[in-house]
Amino acid sequence: MSEETKLPIPYARIGIENSELGTTSDENGVFSIDLSKSNKGQNIKIEVGGFKPYLNSVESFLLENNKTFYLADRIFNIEQVVLIPKKLVSKNWGINSKTKKIQFIYNPQKNLQDISKELALPFATEKRTKIEKININFAHFESDRPIFIRYNVYDENWNSVLSEDISTVMTTEQIKDGEFSYDISSKNLWVENIFYVSFQILNSFKGSIAVSGTVFKPAFYRKNFGEWERTPTVSPALNIDVKVIK
């Protein structure tokens, strides 16, 4: 739950630190996790973008009487700056493929691991850049319910730079010409140097969806809190609309 609002946090990621063992809370923030085979000296982690992660040993976690966990908002110390108007140039970076021949397929009815996988693309810029929109191209989309999707932005060391959660609900009607576009311009999210943009589909559903892809482009994935690994061959069709300081 949010420490500030006392409201449930939907689809939080819960798991063993640096491990693929984990789960996701439901839309009401409720979860269950089997820790019977876990080392009690390991750490369990609860993480959502925009909140300080909860971290505790498995042993202490199991001994807690109160099974309601509160996450505090992440606070970034922002230095005071003098804003000087500068020209911004609009660009689109990433993978724009809309092919149906190369796909990342999600079908949680057949494979529950599908909703534990986070996919990320690397980017680099020498100039300060504001992310305006995150776009994903779909080759196929069939679901009996709205899809909850969460985005994250990481620095070159895979530390999240978000000061608030970036997530939304995706429906068939919102996909235009095979593309789902999410406007985050109001988040005022600036990046520089090497950074990564990720997405994760978090709720189960009946049906299947497929993200278009391409080959021989760098991309990364991880399951729960496991190590980031490079995708073997295929990269998802994720791209971003940005404004770059000229």
Side-chain angles (χ1 to χ4, degrees), residues 7-12 24-31 145-146 148 150 169 202-204:
L7 293 174
I9 301 173
Y11 304 111
T24 303
S25 67
D26 64 18
E27 64 271 20
N28 298 309
V30 177
F31 70 93
R145 67 194 65 185
F148 190 94
R150 174 168 283 132
V169 173
L202 289 168
N203 63 312
S204 186

Side-chain angles (χ1 to χ4, degrees), residues 137-202:
N137 294 339
F138 289 92
H140 172 76
F141 194 101
E142 180 185 355
S143 174
D144 66 327
R145 67 194 65 185
I147 302 297
F148 190 94
I149 183 168
R150 174 168 283 132
Y151 303 93
N152 213 326
V153 179
Y154 300 95
D155 65 17
E156 60 184 323
N157 296 313
W158 292 104
N159 298 309
S160 176
V161 301
L162 299 185
S163 60
E164 61 181 295
D165 184 32
I166 298 181
S167 57
T168 190
V169 173
M170 177 172 55
T171 64
T172 305
E173 293 74 24
Q174 293 170 304
I175 298 175
K176 307 297 182 183
D177 190 28
E179 180 186 76
F180 178 74
S181 182
Y182 188 49
D183 189 338
I184 63 167
S185 56
S186 63
K187 307 294 184 183
N188 201 33
L189 183 56
W190 291 83
V191 290
E192 195 172 6
N193 302 317
I194 296 171
F195 65 98
Y196 302 86
V197 177
S198 78
F199 71 94
Q200 185 178 17
I201 291 171
L202 289 168

Side-chain angles (χ1 to χ4, degrees), residues 75-116:
I75 306 297
F76 287 87
N77 294 320
I78 302 175
E79 295 181 7
Q80 185 177 6
V81 295
V82 177
L83 296 178
I84 302 174
K86 294 185 178 181
K87 186 175 181 179
L88 298 175
V89 180
S90 296
K91 293 181 178 291
N92 177 270
W93 295 337
I95 297 172
N96 286 283
S97 170
K98 292 189 176 181
T99 181
K100 297 182 184 295
K101 295 181 180 179
I102 304 171
Q103 303 177 355
F104 280 88
I105 298 174
Y106 290 83
N107 190 335
Q109 284 187 297
K110 292 185 178 180
N111 186 1
L112 286 175
Q113 287 295 317
D114 282 353
I115 58 175
S116 71

Side-chain angles (χ1 to χ4, degrees), residues 15-150:
I16 300 298
E17 191 176 30
N18 301 321
S19 165
E20 294 185 0
L21 175 62
T23 188
T24 303
S25 67
D26 64 18
E27 64 271 20
N28 298 309
V30 177
F31 70 93
S32 63
I33 184 170
D34 183 2
L35 299 174
S36 59
K37 296 180 181 179
S38 299
N39 184 326
K40 292 185 178 180
Q42 290 180 293
N43 288 327
I44 189 164
K45 190 175 186 179
I46 303 176
E47 183 180 76
V48 181
F51 292 88
K52 293 179 181 178
Y54 167 95
L55 194 65
N56 204 350
S57 69
V58 170
E59 183 176 25
S60 298
F61 180 85
L62 293 173
L63 290 174
E64 286 198 36
N65 293 322
N66 181 7
K67 294 303 179 183
T68 299
F69 303 94
Y70 292 93
L71 301 185
D73 291 345
R74 290 185 68 187
I75 306 297
F76 287 87
N77 294 320
I78 302 175
E79 295 181 7
Q80 185 177 6
V81 295
V82 177
L83 296 178
I84 302 174
K86 294 185 178 181
K87 186 175 181 179
L88 298 175
V89 180
S90 296
K91 293 181 178 291
N92 177 270
W93 295 337
I95 297 172
N96 286 283
S97 170
K98 292 189 176 181
T99 181
K100 297 182 184 295
K101 295 181 180 179
I102 304 171
Q103 303 177 355
F104 280 88
I105 298 174
Y106 290 83
N107 190 335
Q109 284 187 297
K110 292 185 178 180
N111 186 1
L112 286 175
Q113 287 295 317
D114 282 353
I115 58 175
S116 71
K117 187 179 291 184
E118 183 179 5
L119 292 166
L121 250 58
F123 297 89
T125 175
E126 294 180 355
K127 297 181 178 181
R128 290 200 71 212
T129 298
K130 183 185 179 188
I131 302 177
E132 295 282 294
K133 293 181 180 179
I134 303 175
N135 313 304
I136 303 172
N137 294 339
F138 289 92
H140 172 76
F141 194 101
E142 180 185 355
S143 174
D144 66 327
R145 67 194 65 185
I147 302 297
F148 190 94
I149 183 168
R150 174 168 283 132

